[in-house]
Amino acid sequence: MIVIFSGTTEGRQLSHALAAEGIAATVCVATAYGAAEQGEAPGLAVRTGRMEAGEMAALLAGAALCVDATHPYARAARENIRAACRQAGVECLRLLRPASPLPPGALTAPDAAAAARLLEGTEGNILLATGMKELPAFAALGGSRLCPRVLPTHAALDAAAAAGVPARNIIAMQGPFTQALNEALLRQYGARWFVTKDGGAPGGFAEKAAAAEAAGAQLVVICRPEEETDGFSYAQVLAACRKVVGSCRP
C-alpha cells in the first residue's frame, strides 16, 4: 500500500493515476472539502481529518511508500509527515511543485505577518489570495480594506468575519482563476494591492501576476518556506510508486 498525504492538484492526480493502474493507495486529506475534491476511485481509501505525527506513524505501519503531496506552504504538516515516516521506517518522497519566477517589481515577504507590516501606513484596498489561515495577520490593517478571496466554506467565512471583514468584501470562490477574472476582481474592489502566495502553475500564479500588472495593482508575494526546495517531480514520484509496488508483487 502507498500512503499519500494530499492537498494539491498533483496529489489528486497521482492517486487517480495509481488507481487506474490497480495500485492500492490511502489518501489523507485534512478537511471534508479536501475529501470532496479528492473524489473516489476503485482501490483508493480516503481518510479525512488532521493528524499528529504519532497518528500518521500508526497509519504508515506496513506501508510500502509515503508520498508527501501537501501544499508548498504546509510546513507543519510536512514536518509531521517526515517525523512519522522516520518513526514508522517508511521512505518518504516529497512531491515538489516548481516555484514560479517573480515578475519585476513584485514585493516579497517571508510570511503573512511580514506582508502585513509591509502594508502598514499604505492606502487602498487589498485583495488577499493567501487563504483563511493568514487572515488574522492582516486584521490590524482594518477589515474594511481587506478583500479576502477564500474557499466557499463556513470555516473560511467565519475566519473572514473574525478578521473584521465586512460581508460585502468577502469573495468566496474556488480557484484557480484566469487572468481576466483576477483582473476583474481587482478592478471591482478597487484593490491597489494584491497579496498572494507562490502556488506555482497549478495555483494560477502567472495569471495573478499578469492581472496585477494589467490592473495597476502592486503584487506582494509571500515567499515559500526555505526548506521547500528538495523533492521530486510528479513523473519521478509516479515512477517510484510503480517501482516499489512492482518489487513487492510476487
Side-chain angles (χ1 to χ4, degrees):
M1 178 188 68
I2 292 174
V3 176
I4 302 171
F5 289 93
S6 190
T8 59
T9 303
E10 299 93 329
R12 293 191 293 272
Q13 290 174 341
L14 177 66
S15 65
H16 284 271
L18 295 177
E21 297 183 19
I23 299 175
T26 294
V27 184
C28 302
V29 294
T31 65
Y33 186 90
E37 286 293 292
Q38 167 62 37
E40 300 177 353
L44 290 184
V46 180
R47 171 162 177 163
T48 305
R50 303 185 189 280
M51 291 182 282
E52 297 300 325
E55 296 173 285
M56 292 178 177
L59 178 67
L60 286 165
L65 183 68
C66 174
V67 177
D68 176 5
T70 55
H71 194 273
Y73 289 79
R75 178 184 299 178
R78 187 163 63 252
E79 292 174 351
N80 282 338
I81 292 167
R82 289 176 178 172
C85 286
R86 289 193 296 269
Q87 182 178 338
V90 175
E91 181 183 5
C92 180
L93 296 182
R94 172 64 176 157
L95 202 169
L96 189 63
R97 176 181 291 183
S100 304
L102 296 182
L107 301 179
T108 60
D111 53 36
R117 289 194 297 270
L118 187 152
L119 293 171
E120 289 177 354
T122 64
E123 297 181 353
N125 287 349
I126 305 164
L127 180 59
L128 288 175
T130 57
M132 70 175 187
K133 291 182 180 179
E134 280 70 31
L135 285 175
F138 295 94
L141 296 174
S144 61
R145 289 186 67 191
L146 306 180
C147 304
R149 190 166 68 194
V150 295
L151 290 173
T153 65
H154 292 296
L157 295 176
D158 289 343
V165 180
R168 64 179 179 276
N169 284 15
I170 302 173
I171 308 165
M173 303 174 69
Q174 177 185 352
F177 304 95
T178 63
Q179 176 185 339
L181 184 50
N182 280 310
E183 186 177 341
L185 290 173
L186 287 166
R187 296 187 187 280
Q188 173 69 28
Y189 289 90
R192 295 176 59 183
W193 308 87
F194 191 3
V195 185
T196 185
K197 296 176 179 177
D198 174 15
F205 181 81
E207 290 79 5
K208 294 175 185 175
E213 181 178 7
Q218 174 64 59
L219 186 69
V220 180
V221 182
I222 298 175
C223 299
R224 292 190 181 189
E226 291 183 3
E227 64 267 26
E228 181 60 12
T229 56
D230 298 327
F232 301 89
S233 69
Y234 175 87
Q236 289 173 320
V237 171
L238 178 57
C241 290
R242 290 167 173 161
K243 183 178 180 179
V244 73
V245 170
S247 67
C248 295
R249 285 174 174 169

